[in-house]
Amino acid sequence: MVDRKPDSAEANGNREAPLDVLIAGAGYVGLTAAVSLKQARPGLAIAIVDAAPAGVWQKDGRASAIAAAASRMLEQLGVWEEIAPEAQAITEMIITDSRAADPVRPVFLTFDGEVAPGEPFAHMVANRDLNGALRRRAEKLGIDIIEGMAVSAFDVNGAGITVHLADGAALKARLLIAADGVNSKLRDMAGIKTVKWEYGQSGIVCTVAHERPHNGRAEEHFLPAGPFATLPLKPDKDGTNRSSIVWVERTEDAKALVEGDEFVFEHDLEQRFGLKLGEIRVADKPRAWPLGLTLARAFVAPRIALAGDAAHGIHPIAGQGLNLGFKDVAALAEVVVEADRLGQDIGALDVLERYQQWRRFDTLQMGVTTDVLNRLFSNDIGPLRAARDLGLGLVERMPKLKDFFIRQASGLSGDTPRLLKGEAI
């Protein structure tokens, strides 16, 4: 792998050897798609083009919840062994429903953190560690990454697609995978419409250092403005205990919090975090992102497949956004690899339709679920609060139903692609 811009020969015309697959976007979705396809079919010519400047990924201080199915996939792809020492297992999950000022937060629901003996249902992984491990695996497989270069246009021409880059270079491929995020320009270029609305909420993300260890426990507190999640991280190199915070507030309040006085931010944070883990301090600069629901009306077009946030952007209330992206990749890779083995055209619309049929309903279902959960819990309506707390209490008393939710959260329910089962394709 070489992180570079195209050389002058490429800038003056098409590459002499057309690609089989070109992927737009070098986040976890684009990288995993490239590694999945190349590992299964080494003969495929695959490249990634990314609009972000080289090295930007190294500045990402966020962490993500990696479900058990996704970690099985990463193990199959040869990267989990590198990630695992820095990954924090989630050993327990508790859910509360209260107001921020309430002195006591009753626990309505608890989950054991294992889907199988010794296998946690999720791990917390720093985004830098995940991206770095995938990049190194891509390098070992000989996948080229062109950084700092956006796609400006593309032309579908029979058996292929010509992708024009911002500097005038043109790359030919049989299949273009759009993994360029929730505001995907490629999706718009392909004429794919979306269902989209904003929640009037923003998610504040930061890392919190605390005195006492979290022991792998994650917490989600449902508050009137939105959920406040505390997610366990590995201690840093100095042994400092840390947790990742995903704090949902109304957009105007979130903006005031992250741009305002640090003392006010820490006071409001402490009110929600509590002192159960001793004194706390903010370990990095808090940032906020607006939240909404975005669902592509189609996941494919001639020679193009959408994956990850380009196909769907959902509320973080269930922590499933990243894992939906991994499921897209696993399904798309399985479809493309099977078609290639059968000698079929991997970019043909009938092939890509198999991927769309596999993933669209599941994604719609998750989008609707997170939307309903957010509307149900992000309010302070008395009768609704009583009803939802009764529902949480009933789930707590039904072990089989709790096991069902754990399987859902782990990504191991439904029609699961082989990679998510830890199987080769």
Side-chain angles (χ1 to χ4, degrees):
M1 178 186 71
V2 181
D3 295 346
R4 59 174 177 78
K5 293 184 178 181
D7 60 28
S8 57
E10 291 174 347
N12 290 329
N14 297 337
R15 294 177 84 167
E16 291 184 7
L19 297 163
D20 293 298
V21 182
L22 179 63
I23 299 166
Y28 70 90
V29 169
L31 289 165
T32 308
V35 171
S36 300
L37 291 168
K38 190 69 173 179
Q39 179 169 295
R41 302 294 285 171
L44 290 177
I46 300 171
I48 303 172
V49 60
D50 191 61
V56 165
W57 63 273
Q58 294 173 313
K59 300 175 183 178
D60 188 349
R62 295 172 296 172
S64 299
I66 306 295
S71 61
R72 291 182 183 185
M73 176 179 180
L74 293 170
E75 184 173 15
Q76 176 61 225
L77 297 180
V79 297
W80 185 249
E81 185 176 355
E82 179 181 343
I83 295 169
E86 302 304 322
Q88 171 63 54
I90 298 178
T91 58
E92 183 185 9
M93 178 81 182
I94 71 167
I95 294 174
T96 76
D97 186 10
S98 62
R99 299 176 180 87
D102 288 352
V104 177
R105 289 186 183 156
V107 175
F108 288 96
L109 191 54
T110 62
F111 290 106
D112 186 321
E114 292 187 335
V115 292
E119 183 180 15
F121 81 88
H123 289 81
M124 288 299 295
V125 175
N127 288 5
R128 284 191 296 261
D129 293 337
L130 175 61
N131 197 298
L134 285 167
R135 283 170 179 263
R136 285 183 282 276
R137 180 62 178 150
E139 178 178 13
K140 188 173 182 180
L141 291 171
I143 297 166
D144 191 22
I145 299 180
I146 304 168
E147 295 195 282
M149 191 60 59
V151 173
S152 60
F154 58 78
D155 304 309
V156 177
N157 37 42
I161 185 168
T162 301
V163 179
H164 304 277
L165 304 183
D167 70 343
L171 307 176
K172 288 185 176 180
R174 290 196 286 160
L175 171 63
L176 173 62
I177 298 175
D180 55 339
V182 70
N183 297 314
S184 171
K185 289 183 170 54
L186 272 73
R187 182 185 64 215
D188 295 341
M189 291 177 195
I192 297 174
K193 304 297 183 182
T194 60
V195 175
K196 184 174 184 178
W197 57 77
E198 304 298 326
Y199 287 120
Q201 297 171 312
S202 289
I204 301 170
V205 179
C206 69
T207 301
V208 173
H210 41 83
E211 281 187 284
R212 292 191 283 274
H214 45 57
N215 296 320
R217 185 166 80 171
E219 300 183 3
E220 185 155 27
H221 305 292
F222 290 123
L223 302 171
F228 178 91
T230 305
L231 304 164
L233 296 176
K234 278 275 189 177
D236 67 14
K237 293 179 181 178
D238 298 325
T240 302
N241 298 304
R242 303 180 303 147
S243 292
S244 178
I245 298 300
V246 181
W247 174 3
V248 176
E249 282 286 344
R250 296 177 183 87
T251 294
E252 60 271 20
D253 295 334
K255 186 173 187 293
L257 281 165
V258 300
E259 295 179 359
D261 187 272
E262 291 181 9
F263 177 79
V264 173
F265 182 88
E266 291 193 356
H267 173 270
D268 283 15
L269 174 64
E270 185 177 291
Q271 189 178 42
R272 290 158 177 78
F273 192 97
L275 294 175
K276 58 191 173 295
L277 298 181
E279 290 188 14
I280 64 172
R281 64 178 175 83
V282 179
D284 60 4
K285 182 175 175 54
R287 300 184 184 277
W289 283 267
L291 302 177
L293 177 69
T294 302
L295 295 173
R297 291 185 177 274
F299 282 18
V300 301
R303 301 282 161 195
I304 300 168
L306 309 183
D309 287 352
H312 44 73
I314 65 172
H315 197 282
I317 193 167
Q320 290 299 303
L322 177 144
N323 295 294
L324 274 182
F326 277 125
K327 203 166 186 178
D328 291 344
V329 168
L332 180 58
E334 192 166 323
V335 166
V336 170
V337 166
E338 181 179 324
D340 191 55
R341 285 184 178 136
L342 294 172
Q344 298 173 340
D345 181 352
I346 62 172
L349 195 55
D350 61 335
V351 171
L352 299 182
E353 284 283 356
R354 299 173 206 163
Y355 161 65
Q356 175 166 264
Q357 291 170 8
W358 195 346
R359 293 296 305 131
R360 192 162 59 168
F361 177 75
D362 179 53
T363 299
L364 175 62
Q365 187 177 48
M366 183 59 70
V368 170
T369 299
T370 55
D371 183 74
V372 170
L373 284 174
N374 184 51
R375 295 176 190 277
L376 177 63
F377 284 95
S378 297
N379 64 74
D380 198 21
I381 301 170
L384 200 55
R385 176 185 290 277
R388 71 198 187 207
D389 290 350
L390 176 63
L392 290 173
L394 289 173
V395 174
E396 176 67 12
R397 292 167 176 79
M398 301 174 70
K400 289 186 178 179
L401 190 55
K402 288 174 71 173
D403 289 345
F404 168 78
F405 285 127
I406 283 288
R407 295 289 294 182
Q408 289 283 118
S410 68
L412 295 170
S413 62
D415 188 5
T416 306
R418 289 202 291 268
L419 279 173
L420 293 178
K421 298 176 186 176
E423 301 171 2
I425 54 174

